[in-house]
Each structure stands twice: as structure tokens, then as C-alpha cells.
Amino acid sequence: MQRSPAIVCLALGLALIFGEGSPSPESQVAHLATNFGVKVFQQVVQASKDRNVIFSPYGVSSVLAMLQLTTGGNTQQQLHTAMQFKIDEKGMAPALRQLYKEIMGPWNKDEISTADAIFVQRDLKLVQGFMPHFFRLFRSTVKQVNFTEVEKARFIINDWVKTHTRGMISNLLGKGAVDQLTRLVLVNALYFNGQWKMPFPASGTHHRLFHKSDGSTVSVSMMAQTNKFNYSEFSTPDGHDYDVLELPYHGNTISMFIAAPYEKEVPLSALTNILDAQLISQWKGNMTRLLRLLILPKFSLESEVDLRRPLENLGMTDIFRPDQADFTNLSDQEHLYVSQALQKVKIEVNESGTVASSSTAVVASARMVPEEIIMDRPFLFVVRHNPTGTVLFMGQVMEP
């Protein structure tokens, strides 16, 4: 049986250790959350250099939003400044819940689910009213575990992640990730299984040369189809031209945007360095439907990212420092700080884009040879929920 293609899923954990027009509120929240997530992505990419990266802006924003609620003083202020929104300010909670409904709605057709969880040490005395306040904002209950039983606690959290990512991420917290001093773990799980609106015919897949950033080439399996795509050409502030093409999923609400510099010698960083939510919205709003021959590599990526340095670079330093972290909005019983911040993501993309898809592509015939778009060089991809502008996943493919 063929493996599930075009499946994207995410789990992100934080361990706290002892010691367009007039946008809707949910679109405004999505814009702020996406901007923050993209900033973290840029930090991750700078550290990753020429390696493949898959990342979820939505996932990191979800977990840091939960973390805001537990912090106080300067620690909380650092999170507010970096994220540019306060989770408990008026109107934010209803907007977040509406955003959640928009992303999860059955009208999206593509299978998507997201869930947040907070795992707290069973005997940790929480600030009075924290649990109902947390539930009111996130519609999620506080789950109590006993971290003194290290392996059992790790199993419970990993099993929750495995369940909410359909088995794609089975070991979020590796051995040693939690110990008897752990008091809190925050987790977001995001799963997406999308079928292309216009599947690639299997007969069009052949091996072609992919040009890596160091000038070498590698033979990879590339898909091909001729169809009408939303497409446009843009320029960076430095004057580098780049192509952007939209590949919609069959529900028409979620799309993958593929972008790459037109000239092979221009580094992909010319694009990643200028990314933000507004630019991605401009891509979507300035496209023309054109007949094109698209050649795109099949790719399967898996990333495990240590988020400590990226978050510190964005000004969130106190949370990682035992002598400065302020988590008194969660508990004033013990001094807490973040010992680990990590994200694991997987993505797999092939011709059909879904499990057991047997659809047949309708290839548009043209009297003249359509212009070719060949992604045979490093490219950026963005999986976006278009009605709200939420970027669920993004990444760079340096070598398929």
C-alpha cells in the first residue's frame, strides 16, 4: 500500500523545569500570529543555512500564546513585545476561537486538526483561578501528570502527540527531555492531509537534475503537469526577480505556494529574509491564472528544531533563565523556567496529495507550448489557509 502523500503534521513542546479590506478579528489575530511565526522561521533558517527546513508558524504561535498566560512581569512583557499581541486582552480569546473554527471547519474538505494541551505536575499548587481562565481562553483542560515517574509521564505526553498527529510524530520528547524536576509541558499538535485539486499524473514523473546551492547537481524524482495555475512574478527590494505559483488543495481554502528566485545563482535567503504575512497576502492577491507546464520535485522532509536560540534572538530571554524567569501567573509555589523548546514537523508531497487517491488529472491541451516553470533549484513553500491568511506550514527545500 502506498504511503500517505502530502501529509503534513506537527508537534511542538515546551518543558518548564523547576529551578485584506476591513479584516475580521480572526484574520487580524492570524496576521499577528503568522508574522511572529515567520520571524521564528527566519531565525531557524539562518541557523540551518543550506539544510532542508519544515516549520509551522501556527504551531509555534499557539504554544507561545499558552505560555503567555503562565508568565508575569518582565518575562511576560518580552513575550508580548516579540509576539505583538496579548493573549488575555479584550477580544483576543473570541478571535482565537473563531480562527480555530475557521481552520478546523468541514468546509475546508482537506483533513486538518489541531489541538493544544498543557501537562502540569500533579501536586504543583497553581494560582487560584488559573485552570478555569486557561480553559476559557483555549477550550482545553489542564492535564495532570506525575513527572516524578519520568518514563510514564513522557509516554503519556508522547502518546497524546502521536494520537493528534495520526501517528506521524511518535516520539516528540526523547529520553532525557523531561525529568523529576519538570513541572509543566505545553504542546501543540497539528495534522494536515491534503489532496491536490489538480493531481500530477504519475506518468509525468521522471528523474531530472536539481541544482543545489553549492553549484552541484543531484538527480531527483520530479512531477510534471500542464494546467492553468495562479502565477506571478515579483521582485525583492534588492531587485531579484522570483516566481510564485499556487497549488490549491481540493477544498479550495488551503493552498501551497511555491516560490524561488528566477536566477539559480541568487540564494534562497533573498526570499526568506523579506518574508512576512503581508507579503504572502500580496502573492495571493496579485496572481494571474495562466497556462503553465509545472515541474516540481517530490519531496519528503522531517525537521526537529531547537527553538531556544531563535526565541532568544527575538528578545524572549528571561523564560530560559532560572534567576529571571517569572511564571507566577501559573504558580507562586516554585521557581520555574523553560528548559526546552522544540518543534518536530514532517511533510511528504507527491503526485496525488492524499491517502489512496485514484483521481485522474485532466490535462489542458494548448495549441502552443506553454511556458515552463521548473523548480530545479532551492525553493520555498508555504501552506496557507487562505480565508484567514494563517500560515500552517512553511519550509525551504535545498535538496529534495
Side-chain angles (χ1 to χ4, degrees):
M1 182 177 173
Q2 187 180 24
R3 285 188 64 200
S4 308
I7 287 183
V8 194
C9 62
L10 160 125
L12 183 148
L14 285 154
L16 259 65
I17 188 166
F18 172 52
E20 290 130 289
S22 181
S24 62
E26 62 270 17
S27 291
Q28 292 175 338
V29 170
H31 182 89
L32 293 170
T34 293
N35 260 346
F36 170 69
V38 171
K39 285 178 185 175
V40 181
F41 170 74
Q42 288 169 329
Q43 292 290 328
V44 171
V45 164
Q46 285 173 20
S48 301
K49 296 184 179 176
D50 289 336
R51 294 197 300 273
N52 292 333
V53 174
I54 166 71
F55 184 78
S56 173
Y58 179 83
V60 75
S61 295
S62 295
V63 169
L64 269 291
M66 289 194 293
L67 192 67
Q68 272 194 31
L69 208 60
T70 68
T71 57
N74 191 60
T75 301
Q76 187 180 75
Q77 186 55 50
Q78 286 181 354
L79 268 68
H80 289 166
T81 301
M83 300 183 75
Q84 294 294 296
F85 68 84
K86 298 178 181 179
I87 190 62
D88 54 359
E89 68 184 0
K90 187 178 179 182
M92 181 62 70
L96 277 173
R97 289 197 293 273
Q98 186 59 38
L99 175 61
Y100 176 86
K101 289 177 183 176
E102 288 288 333
I103 292 173
M104 295 282 285
W107 50 84
N108 293 303
K109 293 188 180 178
D110 299 289
E111 187 182 0
I112 184 165
S113 66
T114 180
D116 301 308
I118 178 169
F119 297 88
V120 177
Q121 172 62 27
R122 186 177 298 157
D123 58 2
L124 180 66
K125 188 177 180 182
L126 302 182
V127 170
Q128 188 174 3
F130 175 81
M131 291 176 76
H133 185 42
F134 183 86
F135 182 81
R136 182 176 65 83
L137 288 185
F138 293 101
R139 291 296 188 263
S140 179
T141 56
V142 175
K143 299 166 178 37
Q144 295 182 313
V145 294
N146 185 3
F147 286 107
T148 62
E149 298 177 358
V150 176
E151 285 307 299
K152 185 177 180 182
R154 191 169 71 92
F155 173 82
I156 290 170
I157 296 170
N158 282 343
D159 189 62
W160 184 92
V161 170
K162 184 178 180 179
T163 299
H164 286 85
T165 59
R166 308 296 195 273
M168 290 281 286
I169 303 218
S170 58
N171 193 35
L172 173 68
L173 299 178
K175 238 177 171 30
V178 296
D179 59 27
Q180 292 190 357
L181 295 178
T182 300
R183 294 295 177 264
L184 172 71
V185 173
L186 300 167
V187 176
N188 166 268
L190 180 62
Y191 172 90
F192 171 63
N193 184 351
Q195 177 184 357
W196 298 128
K197 184 177 181 181
M198 301 173 290
F200 291 81
S203 59
T205 300
H206 301 287
H207 273 80
R208 298 171 182 261
L209 290 181
F210 185 90
H211 299 263
K212 295 167 62 176
S213 58
D214 62 5
S216 64
T217 59
V218 60
S219 179
V220 302
S221 186
M222 293 200 188
M223 311 176 293
Q225 68 163 293
T226 300
N227 227 313
K228 285 189 174 181
F229 297 98
N230 284 336
Y231 167 82
S232 193
E233 297 172 1
F234 295 86
S235 292
T236 69
D238 294 337
H240 297 303
D241 295 331
Y242 63 98
D243 300 315
V244 180
L245 180 137
E246 179 182 8
L247 280 171
Y249 291 96
H250 80 304
N252 277 332
T253 58
I254 300 172
S255 298
M256 177 181 282
F257 294 86
I258 308 284
Y262 181 73
E263 297 173 334
K264 290 184 176 67
E265 57 269 20
V266 175
L268 192 60
S269 58
L271 271 185
T272 55
N273 288 345
I274 62 170
L275 270 181
D276 59 20
Q278 185 175 358
L279 179 60
I280 297 169
S281 293
Q282 287 174 357
W283 290 353
K284 176 64 179 171
N286 290 278
M287 290 182 147
T288 305
R289 198 162 177 78
L290 298 171
L291 186 66
R292 290 290 185 268
L293 167 61
L294 172 63
I295 298 175
L296 178 71
K298 293 166 68 169
F299 61 96
S300 179
L301 308 183
E302 181 174 354
S303 287
E304 178 173 345
V305 178
D306 184 343
L307 292 172
R308 176 168 180 163
R309 186 60 62 81
L311 296 179
E312 286 181 331
N313 289 346
L314 293 174
M316 289 168 281
T317 55
D318 282 8
I319 58 173
F320 297 105
R321 296 176 181 169
D323 59 335
Q324 292 180 324
D326 181 348
F327 287 93
T328 52
N329 278 344
L330 172 73
S331 174
D332 51 15
Q333 184 186 37
E334 300 184 30
H335 295 294
L336 305 170
Y337 73 100
V338 173
S339 64
Q340 188 172 164
L342 61 97
Q343 187 184 73
K344 286 188 179 181
V345 193
K346 290 184 181 179
I347 182 170
E348 188 175 328
V349 174
N350 75 5
E351 292 89 350
S352 59
T354 194
V355 180
S357 169
S358 58
S359 53
T360 304
V362 178
V363 179
S365 58
R367 295 186 178 179
M368 51 190 295
V369 178
E371 188 175 336
E372 295 182 343
I373 301 173
I374 305 175
M375 289 296 169
D376 60 354
R377 57 203 183 279
F379 61 90
L380 177 78
F381 66 90
V382 175
V383 178
R384 181 179 188 261
H385 182 254
N386 291 317
T388 62
T390 303
V391 173
L392 301 172
F393 304 94
M394 63 195 311
Q396 64 178 22
V397 179
M398 307 304 288
E399 180 181 350

